[in-house]
Coordinates of all heavy atoms in Angstrom, one line a residue:
M22 N 15.8 -4.8 14.4 CA 17.1 -5.3 14.9 C 17.1 -5.4 16.4 O 17.8 -6.2 17.0 CB 18.2 -4.3 14.6 CG 19.0 -4.7 13.4 SD 20.4 -3.7 13.2 CE 20.4 -3.4 11.5
N23 N 16.2 -4.7 17.1 CA 16.2 -4.7 18.6 C 15.4 -5.8 19.1 O 15.3 -5.9 20.3 CB 15.8 -3.3 19.1 CG 14.5 -2.8 18.6 OD1 13.9 -3.5 17.7 ND2 14.1 -1.7 19.0
N24 N 14.7 -6.5 18.3 CA 13.8 -7.6 18.8 C 14.5 -8.9 18.6 O 14.6 -9.5 17.5 CB 12.5 -7.6 18.1 CG 11.5 -8.6 18.6 OD1 11.9 -9.5 19.3 ND2 10.3 -8.4 18.3
P25 N 15.0 -9.5 19.7 CA 15.8 -10.8 19.6 C 14.9 -11.9 19.1 O 15.4 -12.8 18.4 CB 16.2 -11.1 21.0 CG 15.7 -10.1 21.9 CD 15.0 -9.0 21.1
M26 N 13.6 -11.9 19.3 CA 12.8 -13.0 18.8 C 12.7 -13.0 17.3 O 12.6 -14.0 16.7 CB 11.3 -12.9 19.4 CG 11.3 -13.2 20.9 SD 12.1 -14.7 21.4 CE 11.0 -15.9 20.7
K27 N 12.7 -11.8 16.7 CA 12.7 -11.7 15.2 C 14.0 -12.2 14.7 O 14.0 -12.9 13.6 CB 12.5 -10.3 14.8 CG 11.0 -9.9 14.8 CD 10.8 -8.7 14.0 CE 9.3 -8.5 13.7 NZ 9.0 -7.8 12.6
W28 N 15.1 -12.0 15.3 CA 16.4 -12.5 14.9 C 16.4 -14.0 15.0 O 16.9 -14.7 14.1 CB 17.5 -11.9 15.7 CG 17.9 -10.6 15.2 CD1 17.8 -9.4 15.9 CD2 18.6 -10.3 14.0 NE1 18.3 -8.4 15.1 CE2 18.8 -8.9 13.9 CE3 19.0 -11.0 12.9 CZ2 19.3 -8.2 12.9 CZ3 19.6 -10.4 11.8 CH2 19.7 -9.0 11.8
I29 N 15.8 -14.6 16.0 CA 15.7 -16.0 16.2 C 14.9 -16.6 15.1 O 15.2 -17.6 14.5 CB 15.2 -16.4 17.6 CG1 16.2 -16.0 18.6 CG2 14.9 -17.9 17.7 CD1 15.7 -16.1 20.1
A30 N 13.7 -16.0 14.8 CA 12.8 -16.4 13.7 C 13.6 -16.4 12.4 O 13.5 -17.3 11.6 CB 11.6 -15.6 13.7
F31 N 14.3 -15.3 12.2 CA 15.0 -15.1 10.9 C 16.1 -16.2 10.8 O 16.2 -16.8 9.7 CB 15.6 -13.7 10.8 CG 16.2 -13.5 9.5 CD1 15.5 -13.4 8.3 CD2 17.6 -13.4 9.4 CE1 16.1 -13.2 7.1 CE2 18.2 -13.2 8.1 CZ 17.5 -13.1 7.0
A32 N 16.8 -16.5 11.8 CA 17.8 -17.5 11.8 C 17.2 -18.9 11.5 O 17.7 -19.7 10.8 CB 18.6 -17.6 13.1
G33 N 16.0 -19.1 12.1 CA 15.3 -20.3 11.8 C 14.9 -20.4 10.3 O 15.0 -21.5 9.7
I34 N 14.5 -19.3 9.7 CA 14.1 -19.3 8.3 C 15.4 -19.6 7.5 O 15.3 -20.4 6.5 CB 13.6 -17.9 7.9 CG1 12.2 -17.6 8.5 CG2 13.5 -17.8 6.3 CD1 11.8 -16.2 8.3
M35 N 16.5 -19.0 7.8 CA 17.7 -19.3 7.0 C 18.1 -20.8 7.2 O 18.6 -21.4 6.2 CB 18.8 -18.4 7.5 CG 18.6 -16.9 7.1 SD 18.5 -16.6 5.3 CE 16.7 -16.4 5.1
S36 N 18.0 -21.3 8.4 CA 18.3 -22.7 8.6 C 17.4 -23.6 7.8 O 17.9 -24.6 7.2 CB 18.2 -23.1 10.1 OG 19.1 -22.3 10.8
L37 N 16.1 -23.3 7.8 CA 15.2 -24.1 7.1 C 15.4 -24.0 5.6 O 15.2 -24.9 4.8 CB 13.7 -23.7 7.4 CG 13.2 -24.1 8.7 CD1 11.9 -23.5 9.0 CD2 13.1 -25.6 8.8
A38 N 15.8 -22.8 5.1 CA 16.1 -22.6 3.7 C 17.2 -23.5 3.2 O 17.2 -23.9 2.0 CB 16.4 -21.2 3.4
A39 N 18.0 -23.9 4.1 CA 19.1 -24.8 3.7 C 18.7 -26.3 3.7 O 19.4 -27.1 3.1 CB 20.3 -24.7 4.7
C40 N 17.5 -26.6 4.2 CA 17.0 -28.0 4.2 C 16.6 -28.4 2.8 O 16.2 -27.6 2.0 CB 15.9 -28.1 5.2 SG 16.3 -27.9 6.9
A41 N 16.6 -29.7 2.6 CA 16.1 -30.2 1.3 C 14.7 -30.0 1.0 O 14.3 -29.7 -0.1 CB 16.4 -31.7 1.2
D42 N 13.8 -30.1 2.1 CA 12.4 -29.8 1.9 C 12.1 -28.3 2.0 O 12.0 -27.8 3.1 CB 11.6 -30.6 3.0 CG 10.1 -30.3 2.9 OD1 9.7 -29.8 1.8 OD2 9.4 -30.6 3.8
G43 N 12.1 -27.7 0.9 CA 11.9 -26.2 0.8 C 10.5 -25.7 1.0 O 10.3 -24.6 1.2
G44 N 9.5 -26.6 1.1 CA 8.1 -26.2 1.2 C 7.9 -25.5 2.5 O 7.3 -24.4 2.5
L45 N 8.3 -26.0 3.6 CA 8.1 -25.3 4.9 C 8.9 -24.0 4.9 O 8.4 -23.0 5.4 CB 8.5 -26.2 6.0 CG 8.3 -25.7 7.4 CD1 6.9 -25.2 7.7 CD2 8.8 -26.7 8.5
A46 N 10.1 -24.1 4.5 CA 11.0 -22.9 4.5 C 10.4 -21.8 3.6 O 10.3 -20.6 4.0 CB 12.4 -23.2 4.0
D47 N 9.8 -22.2 2.5 CA 9.2 -21.2 1.6 C 8.0 -20.5 2.3 O 7.8 -19.3 2.2 CB 8.8 -21.8 0.3 CG 8.2 -20.9 -0.7 OD1 8.8 -19.9 -1.1 OD2 7.0 -21.1 -1.0
Q48 N 7.2 -21.4 2.9 CA 6.0 -20.9 3.6 C 6.4 -19.9 4.7 O 5.8 -18.8 4.8 CB 5.2 -22.0 4.1 CG 3.9 -21.6 4.8 CD 3.2 -22.8 5.4 OE1 3.6 -24.0 5.3 NE2 2.1 -22.5 6.1
I49 N 7.4 -20.2 5.5 CA 7.8 -19.3 6.6 C 8.4 -18.0 6.0 O 8.1 -17.0 6.5 CB 8.8 -20.1 7.5 CG1 8.1 -21.2 8.2 CG2 9.4 -19.1 8.5 CD1 9.1 -22.1 8.9
A50 N 9.2 -18.1 5.0 CA 9.8 -16.9 4.4 C 8.7 -16.0 3.8 O 8.8 -14.8 3.9 CB 10.8 -17.3 3.3
R51 N 7.7 -16.6 3.2 CA 6.6 -15.8 2.6 C 5.9 -15.1 3.7 O 5.5 -13.9 3.5 CB 5.7 -16.7 1.8 CG 6.4 -17.3 0.5 CD 5.6 -18.4 -0.1 NE 4.4 -18.0 -0.7 CZ 4.3 -17.5 -2.0 NH1 5.4 -17.5 -2.7 NH2 3.2 -17.2 -2.5
E52 N 5.6 -15.8 4.8 CA 4.9 -15.1 5.9 C 5.7 -14.0 6.5 O 5.2 -12.9 6.8 CB 4.5 -16.1 7.0 CG 3.4 -17.0 6.6 CD 2.1 -16.3 6.3 OE1 1.7 -15.4 7.0 OE2 1.4 -16.7 5.2
Q53 N 7.0 -14.2 6.6 CA 7.9 -13.2 7.2 C 8.0 -12.0 6.2 O 8.0 -10.9 6.7 CB 9.3 -13.8 7.4 CG 10.2 -13.0 8.3 CD 9.9 -13.1 9.7 OE1 9.3 -14.1 10.2 NE2 10.3 -12.1 10.5
A54 N 8.0 -12.3 4.9 CA 8.1 -11.2 3.9 C 6.9 -10.3 4.0 O 7.0 -9.1 3.7 CB 8.3 -11.8 2.5
K55 N 5.7 -10.9 4.3 CA 4.5 -10.1 4.4 C 4.6 -9.0 5.5 O 4.0 -7.9 5.3 CB 3.3 -11.0 4.7 CG 2.8 -11.7 3.6 CD 1.6 -12.5 3.9 CE 1.1 -13.4 2.8 NZ -0.1 -14.1 3.0
D56 N 5.4 -9.3 6.5 CA 5.7 -8.2 7.5 C 6.4 -7.0 7.0 O 6.2 -5.9 7.5 CB 6.5 -8.8 8.7 CG 5.7 -9.8 9.5 OD1 4.4 -9.8 9.4 OD2 6.3 -10.6 10.3
A57 N 7.1 -7.2 5.9 CA 7.8 -6.1 5.2 C 6.9 -5.5 4.2 O 6.9 -4.2 4.0 CB 9.1 -6.5 4.6
V58 N 6.1 -6.3 3.5 CA 5.2 -5.8 2.4 C 4.1 -5.0 2.9 O 3.7 -3.9 2.4 CB 4.8 -7.0 1.6 CG1 3.7 -6.6 0.6 CG2 6.0 -7.7 0.9
N59 N 3.4 -5.5 4.0 CA 2.1 -4.8 4.4 C 2.3 -3.3 4.7 O 1.4 -2.6 4.3 CB 1.5 -5.6 5.6 CG 0.9 -6.9 5.1 OD1 0.5 -7.0 4.0 ND2 0.7 -7.8 6.1
P60 N 3.2 -2.9 5.5 CA 3.3 -1.5 5.8 C 3.6 -0.6 4.5 O 3.0 0.5 4.4 CB 4.5 -1.3 6.8 CG 4.8 -2.7 7.3 CD 4.3 -3.7 6.2
V61 N 4.3 -1.1 3.6 CA 4.6 -0.4 2.4 C 3.3 -0.3 1.5 O 3.0 0.8 1.0 CB 5.7 -1.0 1.5 CG1 5.9 -0.3 0.2 CG2 7.0 -1.0 2.3
L62 N 2.6 -1.4 1.4 CA 1.3 -1.3 0.7 C 0.3 -0.4 1.3 O -0.4 0.3 0.6 CB 0.7 -2.7 0.6 CG 1.5 -3.8 -0.3 CD1 0.8 -5.1 -0.3 CD2 1.7 -3.3 -1.7
A63 N 0.3 -0.5 2.6 CA -0.7 0.4 3.4 C -0.4 1.9 3.1 O -1.3 2.7 3.0 CB -0.7 0.1 4.9
E64 N 0.9 2.2 3.1 CA 1.3 3.6 2.9 C 1.2 4.0 1.4 O 0.7 5.1 1.1 CB 2.8 3.8 3.3 CG 3.3 5.2 3.2 CD 4.7 5.3 3.5 OE1 5.2 4.7 4.5 OE2 5.4 6.1 2.9
R65 N 1.6 3.2 0.5 CA 1.7 3.6 -0.9 C 0.4 3.4 -1.7 O 0.2 4.0 -2.7 CB 2.8 2.8 -1.6 CG 4.2 3.1 -1.0 CD 4.6 4.6 -1.2 NE 5.9 4.8 -0.6 CZ 6.9 5.2 -1.3 NH1 6.9 5.4 -2.6 NH2 8.1 5.5 -0.6
F66 N -0.4 2.4 -1.2 CA -1.7 2.1 -1.9 C -2.8 2.1 -0.9 O -3.4 1.0 -0.6 CB -1.6 0.7 -2.6 CG -0.4 0.6 -3.5 CD1 0.8 0.0 -3.2 CD2 -0.5 1.2 -4.8 CE1 1.9 -0.1 -4.1 CE2 0.6 1.1 -5.7 CZ 1.7 0.5 -5.3
P67 N -3.1 3.2 -0.3 CA -4.1 3.3 0.8 C -5.5 2.8 0.2 O -5.9 3.1 -0.9 CB -4.2 4.7 1.2 CG -3.5 5.5 0.1 CD -2.6 4.6 -0.6
G68 N -6.2 2.1 1.1 CA -7.5 1.6 0.7 C -7.5 0.2 0.0 O -8.6 -0.4 -0.1
V69 N -6.4 -0.3 -0.4 CA -6.3 -1.6 -1.0 C -6.3 -2.6 0.2 O -5.6 -2.5 1.1 CB -5.0 -1.7 -1.8 CG1 -4.8 -3.2 -2.3 CG2 -5.0 -0.8 -3.0
P70 N -7.1 -3.6 0.1 CA -7.2 -4.7 1.1 C -5.8 -5.3 1.3 O -5.3 -5.9 0.3 CB -8.2 -5.6 0.6 CG -8.9 -5.0 -0.5 CD -8.1 -3.9 -1.0
L71 N -5.2 -5.2 2.4 CA -3.8 -5.7 2.6 C -3.6 -7.2 2.4 O -2.6 -7.5 1.8 CB -3.3 -5.3 4.0 CG -3.0 -3.8 4.2 CD1 -2.5 -3.5 5.6 CD2 -1.9 -3.4 3.2
E72 N -4.4 -8.0 3.0 CA -4.2 -9.4 2.9 C -4.1 -9.9 1.5 O -3.2 -10.6 1.1 CB -5.2 -10.2 3.7 CG -4.9 -11.7 3.9 CD -3.6 -12.0 4.6 OE1 -3.2 -11.2 5.5 OE2 -3.0 -13.0 4.3
P73 N -5.2 -9.7 0.7 CA -5.1 -10.1 -0.7 C -4.0 -9.4 -1.5 O -3.3 -10.1 -2.4 CB -6.5 -9.9 -1.3 CG -7.3 -9.2 -0.3 CD -6.5 -9.1 1.0
A74 N -3.8 -8.2 -1.2 CA -2.7 -7.4 -2.0 C -1.3 -8.0 -1.7 O -0.5 -8.2 -2.5 CB -2.8 -6.0 -1.7
S75 N -1.1 -8.2 -0.4 CA 0.2 -8.8 0.0 C 0.4 -10.2 -0.6 O 1.5 -10.6 -1.0 CB 0.5 -8.7 1.5 OG -0.4 -9.6 2.2
D76 N -0.7 -11.0 -0.6 CA -0.6 -12.3 -1.2 C -0.2 -12.2 -2.7 O 0.7 -12.9 -3.2 CB -1.9 -13.0 -1.1 CG -2.2 -13.5 0.3 OD1 -1.3 -13.6 1.1 OD2 -3.4 -13.8 0.5
C77 N -0.8 -11.2 -3.4 CA -0.5 -11.0 -4.8 C 1.0 -10.6 -5.0 O 1.7 -11.1 -5.9 CB -1.4 -10.0 -5.5 SG -3.1 -10.6 -5.7
V78 N 1.5 -9.7 -4.2 CA 2.9 -9.3 -4.3 C 3.8 -10.5 -4.0 O 4.7 -10.7 -4.8 CB 3.1 -8.1 -3.3 CG1 4.6 -7.8 -3.2 CG2 2.4 -6.9 -3.8
I79 N 3.6 -11.2 -2.9 CA 4.4 -12.3 -2.6 C 4.4 -13.4 -3.7 O 5.4 -14.0 -4.0 CB 4.1 -12.9 -1.2 CG1 4.2 -11.9 -0.1 CG2 4.8 -14.2 -0.9 CD1 5.6 -11.3 0.1
D80 N 3.2 -13.7 -4.2 CA 3.0 -14.7 -5.2 C 3.8 -14.3 -6.5 O 4.1 -15.2 -7.3 CB 1.5 -14.9 -5.5 CG 0.8 -15.7 -4.4 OD1 1.5 -16.2 -3.5 OD2 -0.4 -15.7 -4.5
N81 N 4.0 -13.1 -6.7 CA 4.7 -12.6 -8.0 C 6.1 -12.2 -7.7 O 6.7 -11.6 -8.6 CB 3.9 -11.5 -8.6 CG 2.6 -12.1 -9.3 OD1 2.7 -12.7 -10.3 ND2 1.5 -11.9 -8.6
A82 N 6.6 -12.5 -6.6 CA 8.0 -12.2 -6.3 C 8.9 -13.5 -6.5 O 8.3 -14.6 -6.3 CB 8.2 -11.8 -4.8
S83 N 10.1 -13.4 -6.9 CA 11.0 -14.5 -7.0 C 11.4 -15.0 -5.6 O 11.2 -14.3 -4.6 CB 12.2 -14.1 -7.8 OG 13.1 -13.2 -7.0
S84 N 12.0 -16.2 -5.6 CA 12.4 -16.7 -4.2 C 13.5 -15.8 -3.6 O 13.5 -15.6 -2.4 CB 12.9 -18.1 -4.4 OG 14.0 -18.2 -5.3
G85 N 14.4 -15.3 -4.4 CA 15.4 -14.3 -3.9 C 14.8 -13.1 -3.4 O 15.2 -12.5 -2.4
E86 N 13.7 -12.6 -4.1 CA 13.1 -11.4 -3.6 C 12.3 -11.6 -2.3 O 12.3 -10.8 -1.4 CB 12.1 -10.9 -4.7 CG 12.8 -10.3 -5.9 CD 11.9 -10.1 -7.1 OE1 10.8 -10.7 -7.2 OE2 12.2 -9.2 -7.9
I87 N 11.7 -12.8 -2.2 CA 11.0 -13.2 -1.0 C 12.0 -13.2 0.2 O 11.7 -12.7 1.3 CB 10.2 -14.5 -1.1 CG1 9.1 -14.3 -2.1 CG2 9.8 -15.0 0.2 CD1 8.4 -15.6 -2.5
L88 N 13.1 -13.8 0.0 CA 14.2 -13.9 1.1 C 14.6 -12.5 1.4 O 14.8 -12.2 2.6 CB 15.3 -14.8 0.7 CG 15.0 -16.3 0.7 CD1 16.2 -17.1 0.2 CD2 14.7 -16.7 2.1
K89 N 14.8 -11.6 0.5 CA 15.3 -10.3 0.7 C 14.2 -9.5 1.6 O 14.5 -8.8 2.5 CB 15.5 -9.5 -0.6 CG 16.0 -8.1 -0.4 CD 16.4 -7.5 -1.7 CE 17.1 -6.2 -1.5 NZ 17.7 -5.7 -2.7
L90 N 12.9 -9.7 1.2 CA 11.9 -9.1 2.0 C 11.7 -9.7 3.4 O 11.4 -9.0 4.4 CB 10.6 -9.1 1.2 CG 10.6 -8.4 -0.1 CD1 9.3 -8.6 -0.9 CD2 10.8 -6.9 0.2
A91 N 11.9 -11.0 3.5 CA 11.9 -11.7 4.8 C 13.0 -11.1 5.7 O 12.8 -10.8 6.9 CB 12.0 -13.2 4.7
R92 N 14.2 -10.9 5.1 CA 15.3 -10.3 5.9 C 14.9 -8.9 6.3 O 15.2 -8.5 7.4 CB 16.5 -10.3 5.0 CG 17.8 -10.0 5.7 CD 19.0 -10.0 4.8 NE 19.1 -11.2 4.0 CZ 19.1 -11.3 2.7 NH1 19.0 -10.1 2.0 NH2 19.2 -12.4 2.0
A93 N 14.3 -8.2 5.4 CA 13.9 -6.8 5.7 C 12.9 -6.7 6.9 O 12.9 -5.7 7.6 CB 13.4 -6.1 4.5
S94 N 12.1 -7.7 7.0 CA 11.1 -7.7 8.1 C 11.8 -7.8 9.5 O 11.2 -7.4 10.5 CB 10.1 -8.9 8.0 OG 10.7 -10.1 8.3
V95 N 13.1 -8.2 9.5 CA 13.9 -8.3 10.7 C 14.8 -7.0 10.8 O 14.8 -6.4 11.9 CB 14.7 -9.6 10.7 CG1 15.6 -9.6 11.9 CG2 13.8 -10.8 10.7
T96 N 15.4 -6.7 9.7 CA 16.4 -5.6 9.8 C 15.8 -4.2 9.6 O 16.4 -3.2 9.9 CB 17.5 -5.8 8.8 OG1 16.9 -5.9 7.4 CG2 18.3 -7.1 9.0
G97 N 14.6 -4.2 9.0 CA 14.0 -2.9 8.7 C 13.8 -2.7 7.2 O 14.8 -3.1 6.4
V98 N 12.7 -2.2 6.8 CA 12.5 -1.9 5.4 C 13.1 -0.5 5.0 O 12.7 0.5 5.6 CB 11.0 -1.9 5.1 CG1 10.7 -1.5 3.6 CG2 10.4 -3.2 5.4
G99 N 14.0 -0.5 4.1 CA 14.7 0.7 3.7 C 14.2 1.1 2.3 O 13.3 0.4 1.7
P100 N 14.8 2.1 1.7 CA 14.4 2.6 0.4 C 14.5 1.5 -0.7 O 13.7 1.4 -1.6 CB 15.3 3.7 0.1 CG 15.8 4.1 1.4 CD 15.8 2.9 2.3
E101 N 15.5 0.6 -0.6 CA 15.7 -0.4 -1.6 C 14.6 -1.4 -1.6 O 14.1 -1.8 -2.6 CB 17.1 -1.1 -1.4 CG 17.5 -2.1 -2.4 CD 18.8 -2.7 -2.2 OE1 19.7 -2.0 -1.7 OE2 19.0 -3.9 -2.5
E102 N 14.2 -1.8 -0.4 CA 13.2 -2.8 -0.2 C 11.8 -2.2 -0.6 O 11.0 -2.9 -1.2 CB 13.1 -3.3 1.2 CG 14.3 -4.2 1.6 CD 15.5 -3.4 2.0 OE1 15.3 -2.2 2.3 OE2 16.6 -4.0 2.1
T103 N 11.6 -0.9 -0.2 CA 10.4 -0.2 -0.6 C 10.3 -0.2 -2.1 O 9.2 -0.5 -2.7 CB 10.3 1.2 0.0 OG1 10.4 1.1 1.4 CG2 9.1 2.0 -0.5
A104 N 11.3 0.2 -2.8 CA 11.3 0.2 -4.3 C 11.0 -1.2 -4.9 O 10.3 -1.3 -5.9 CB 12.7 0.7 -4.8
L105 N 11.6 -2.2 -4.2 CA 11.4 -3.6 -4.7 C 9.9 -4.0 -4.6 O 9.3 -4.5 -5.5 CB 12.2 -4.6 -3.9 CG 12.0 -6.1 -4.2 CD1 12.3 -6.4 -5.7 CD2 12.9 -6.9 -3.3
I106 N 9.3 -3.6 -3.4 CA 7.9 -3.9 -3.2 C 7.0 -3.2 -4.2 O 6.1 -3.8 -4.8 CB 7.5 -3.6 -1.8 CG1 8.2 -4.5 -0.8 CG2 5.9 -3.6 -1.6 CD1 8.1 -4.0 0.7
I107 N 7.3 -2.0 -4.5 CA 6.5 -1.2 -5.5 C 6.7 -1.8 -6.9 O 5.8 -1.9 -7.6 CB 6.9 0.3 -5.4 CG1 6.4 0.9 -4.1 CG2 6.3 1.1 -6.6 CD1 7.0 2.3 -3.8
E108 N 7.9 -2.2 -7.2 CA 8.2 -2.8 -8.5 C 7.4 -4.1 -8.7 O 6.8 -4.3 -9.7 CB 9.7 -3.0 -8.6 CG 10.2 -3.4 -10.1 CD 10.2 -4.9 -10.3 OE1 10.7 -5.6 -9.4 OE2 9.7 -5.3 -11.3
I109 N 7.4 -4.9 -7.7 CA 6.7 -6.2 -7.7 C 5.2 -5.9 -7.8 O 4.5 -6.5 -8.6 CB 7.0 -7.1 -6.5 CG1 8.4 -7.5 -6.5 CG2 6.1 -8.3 -6.5 CD1 8.9 -8.1 -5.2
A110 N 4.7 -4.9 -7.1 CA 3.3 -4.6 -7.0 C 2.8 -4.0 -8.4 O 1.6 -4.2 -8.7 CB 3.0 -3.6 -5.9
T111 N 3.7 -3.5 -9.2 CA 3.2 -2.9 -10.4 C 3.6 -3.8 -11.7 O 3.4 -3.4 -12.8 CB 3.9 -1.5 -10.6 OG1 5.3 -1.6 -10.5 CG2 3.4 -0.5 -9.6
R112 N 4.0 -5.0 -11.4 CA 4.2 -5.9 -12.5 C 2.9 -6.3 -13.1 O 1.9 -6.4 -12.4 CB 4.9 -7.2 -12.0 CG 6.4 -7.0 -11.6 CD 7.0 -8.2 -11.1 NE 8.4 -7.9 -10.7 CZ 9.1 -8.7 -9.9 NH1 8.6 -9.8 -9.4 NH2 10.3 -8.4 -9.6
P113 N 2.8 -6.6 -14.4 CA 1.5 -7.0 -15.0 C 0.8 -8.1 -14.3 O -0.4 -8.1 -14.1 CB 1.9 -7.3 -16.4 CG 3.1 -6.5 -16.7 CD 3.9 -6.5 -15.4
D114 N 1.6 -9.2 -14.0 CA 0.9 -10.4 -13.3 C 0.4 -10.0 -11.9 O -0.6 -10.6 -11.5 CB 1.9 -11.5 -13.2 CG 2.1 -12.2 -14.6 OD1 1.3 -12.0 -15.5 OD2 3.1 -12.9 -14.7
T115 N 1.1 -9.1 -11.2 CA 0.6 -8.7 -9.9 C -0.6 -7.9 -10.0 O -1.6 -8.1 -9.3 CB 1.7 -7.9 -9.1 OG1 2.9 -8.6 -9.1 CG2 1.3 -7.6 -7.7
I116 N -0.7 -7.0 -11.0 CA -1.9 -6.2 -11.2 C -3.1 -7.1 -11.6 O -4.2 -6.9 -11.1 CB -1.6 -5.1 -12.3 CG1 -0.6 -4.1 -11.7 CG2 -2.9 -4.4 -12.7 CD1 -0.1 -3.1 -12.7
K117 N -2.8 -8.0 -12.5 CA -3.8 -9.0 -12.8 C -4.4 -9.7 -11.6 O -5.6 -9.9 -11.4 CB -3.3 -10.0 -13.9 CG -4.3 -11.0 -14.3 CD -3.7 -11.9 -15.4 CE -4.8 -13.0 -15.8 NZ -4.2 -14.0 -16.6
C118 N -3.5 -10.2 -10.8 CA -3.8 -10.9 -9.5 C -4.7 -9.9 -8.6 O -5.7 -10.4 -8.1 CB -2.6 -11.3 -8.8 SG -2.9 -12.1 -7.1
L119 N -4.2 -8.7 -8.5 CA -5.0 -7.7 -7.7 C -6.4 -7.5 -8.2 O -7.4 -7.5 -7.4 CB -4.2 -6.4 -7.6 CG -3.0 -6.4 -6.8 CD1 -2.2 -5.1 -7.0 CD2 -3.3 -6.5 -5.3
L120 N -6.5 -7.4 -9.5 CA -7.8 -7.2 -10.1 C -8.7 -8.4 -9.9 O -9.9 -8.3 -9.7 CB -7.7 -6.9 -11.6 CG -7.1 -5.5 -11.9 CD1 -6.9 -5.3 -13.4 CD2 -8.0 -4.4 -11.3
E121 N -8.2 -9.6 -10.1 CA -8.9 -10.9 -10.0 C -9.2 -11.3 -8.6 O -10.3 -11.7 -8.2 CB -8.2 -12.0 -10.8 CG -8.2 -11.8 -12.3 CD -7.4 -12.8 -13.0 OE1 -6.8 -13.7 -12.4 OE2 -7.4 -12.7 -14.3
D122 N -8.2 -11.3 -7.7 CA -8.3 -11.8 -6.4 C -8.3 -10.8 -5.3 O -8.9 -11.0 -4.2 CB -7.1 -12.8 -6.1 CG -7.1 -13.9 -7.1 OD1 -8.2 -14.3 -7.6 OD2 -6.0 -14.4 -7.4
G123 N -7.6 -9.7 -5.5 CA -7.5 -8.7 -4.5 C -8.6 -7.7 -4.3 O -9.1 -7.4 -3.2
L124 N -9.1 -7.2 -5.5 CA -10.1 -6.2 -5.4 C -11.5 -6.7 -5.8 O -12.5 -6.1 -5.3 CB -9.7 -5.0 -6.3 CG -8.4 -4.3 -5.9 CD1 -8.1 -3.2 -7.0 CD2 -8.5 -3.7 -4.6
A125 N -11.6 -7.7 -6.7 CA -12.9 -8.1 -7.2 C -13.9 -8.4 -6.1 O -15.0 -8.0 -6.2 CB -12.7 -9.3 -8.1
P126 N -13.5 -9.1 -5.0 CA -14.5 -9.4 -4.0 C -15.1 -8.1 -3.4 O -16.2 -8.1 -2.9 CB -13.8 -10.2 -2.9 CG -12.6 -10.8 -3.7 CD -12.3 -9.8 -4.7
F127 N -14.4 -7.0 -3.4 CA -14.8 -5.8 -2.8 C -15.6 -4.9 -3.8 O -16.2 -4.0 -3.3 CB -13.6 -5.0 -2.2 CG -12.9 -5.8 -1.2 CD1 -11.8 -6.6 -1.5 CD2 -13.4 -5.8 0.2 CE1 -11.2 -7.3 -0.5 CE2 -12.7 -6.6 1.1 CZ -11.6 -7.3 0.8
L128 N -15.5 -5.3 -5.0 CA -16.2 -4.5 -6.0 C -17.6 -5.0 -6.4 O -18.4 -4.4 -7.0 CB -15.4 -4.4 -7.3 CG -14.0 -3.7 -7.2 CD1 -13.2 -3.8 -8.5 CD2 -14.2 -2.3 -6.7
L129 N -17.9 -6.2 -6.0 CA -19.1 -6.9 -6.3 C -20.2 -6.5 -5.3 O -20.1 -6.1 -4.3 CB -19.0 -8.4 -6.3 CG -18.0 -8.9 -7.3 CD1 -17.9 -10.4 -7.1 CD2 -18.4 -8.6 -8.7

């Protein structure tokens, strides 16, 4: 909340989300959401490679969940957002993604 640049970026995300071309808005929101996801994954799942793991979580989140996480990257991650990240991370499709894309390169 105390970083005005994050608020400006978040306002930009919300403005872009209202545009007809949602591709760019989606990409920006997904990147912003990673700022909320990464610290939770690092704390709750130590040793898991963050970049592929956060990609798997974001890829298995709904658009509403991504916007909520993008907002949390600006306002702060609270218990509700932490629970959401853990819930997404433990979905069957997310676990499959983690096994195939997130951890497999490190296990070979």
